[in-house]
Amino acid sequence: MKKLFIIGGMGAGKSTARKALVDEGLPYIDLDKVGHQVLGWDIVKEELREEFGDDVFDENGDVVRKALAAKAFTTPASTRALNRITVPRIEDLFMDMLADLEKEGHEAVVVEQSVFKNRQMSLAYSADVVIAILAKFETRVERAVASGWEEDDVRRRMARQITDAERIEESDVVFNNDGTPDELRNQVVLWWHDYKANGYKLA
């Protein structure tokens, strides 16, 4: 089963590219959602409470992601502490999901990954193809704000992400998404058909 990882900054169009492939019949895994699922595990909650305190939980004992982020991303040490707790569990769940999809006989799976630095330091180390979706910085800001994010928050988050030049360096396939969603979808579907026709080998 081929693993197709889609990367890109906020507002670049990762979800549009992923939906194009899902419409072609591929299952997908959103690693953000996998991360959110892991935050509901009792063992993870216990370790987060010990590391970050009671105030990252609501009255029902669920993790408040915004409160956790406010504490976990203030220093490199606190970020490492969060990663130490969550990343191994995310990887375990992700691998279980891949195994289930492979048993079902899928030819490929699409993996959407927002937090990406390089292949070696992410779950993309197992990727068959890394697909980068790029767009101009201000275009991405406008799209993220239009989808409900606060502009200051968007710019802060983008400042912590890698550059498009770094994404290009780490990718096998690159799509520019400065046009319409339909244009991106068409590009992605055309690439997928060519990739299959070439025996799942990169041109």
Side-chain angles (χ1 to χ4, degrees):
M1 184 178 68
K2 298 298 181 183
K3 295 176 283 296
L4 315 178
F5 274 69
I6 297 179
I7 66 169
M10 287 184 75
K14 294 186 300 298
S15 295
T16 300
R18 179 253 299 164
K19 287 173 186 172
L21 292 169
V22 170
D23 287 345
E24 290 293 304
L26 276 66
Y28 81 95
I29 298 171
D30 184 337
L31 286 175
D32 279 351
K33 291 182 179 178
V34 175
H36 298 166
Q37 192 172 336
V38 163
L39 292 180
W41 293 4
D42 288 341
I43 183 65
V44 172
K45 288 182 180 180
E46 290 172 14
E47 293 179 16
L48 289 174
R49 192 181 299 277
E50 185 176 329
E51 183 69 39
F52 297 105
D54 293 334
D55 52 349
V56 300
F57 295 86
D58 63 18
E59 61 274 11
N60 298 316
D62 295 321
V63 175
V64 179
R65 296 200 304 271
K66 192 170 184 178
L68 177 61
K71 284 195 166 186
F73 298 122
T74 52
T75 67
S78 60
T79 303
R80 284 195 298 273
L82 175 65
N83 289 341
R84 187 173 63 248
I85 294 167
T86 59
V87 169
R89 277 65 181 248
I90 291 170
E91 183 166 9
D92 286 347
L93 180 54
F94 174 63
M95 291 302 178
D96 287 345
M97 295 168 80
L98 286 180
D100 289 343
L101 290 171
E102 192 143 28
K103 284 178 189 174
E104 291 170 11
H106 293 283
E107 59 183 332
V109 59
V110 183
V111 182
E112 187 175 338
Q113 183 170 24
S114 298
V115 181
F116 177 91
K117 290 187 177 180
N118 56 52
R119 292 196 191 207
Q120 292 71 36
M121 295 176 61
S122 76
L123 292 176
Y125 71 83
S126 66
D128 293 284
V129 184
V130 174
I131 302 167
I133 311 298
L134 310 181
K136 292 185 178 71
F137 185 85
E138 290 302 326
T139 300
R140 290 167 45 211
V141 172
E142 290 172 12
R143 289 172 180 164
V145 171
S147 68
W149 291 87
E150 294 292 333
E151 183 172 344
D152 288 346
D153 191 18
V154 170
R155 292 184 183 277
R156 276 196 301 272
R157 286 170 180 262
M158 287 184 177
R160 292 201 298 263
Q161 295 180 333
I162 64 173
T163 66
D164 277 352
E166 290 170 309
R167 292 185 181 102
I168 291 170
E169 182 69 24
E170 292 290 332
S171 301
D172 303 298
V173 182
V174 176
F175 295 106
N176 287 299
N177 183 30
D178 290 321
T180 67
D182 280 343
E183 287 171 335
L184 177 61
R185 276 193 290 268
N186 291 340
Q187 289 181 67
V188 171
V189 170
L190 181 61
W191 169 82
W192 168 243
H193 290 170
D194 287 345
Y195 179 60
K196 283 202 298 182
N198 199 35
Y200 301 104
K201 294 177 183 176
L202 291 166

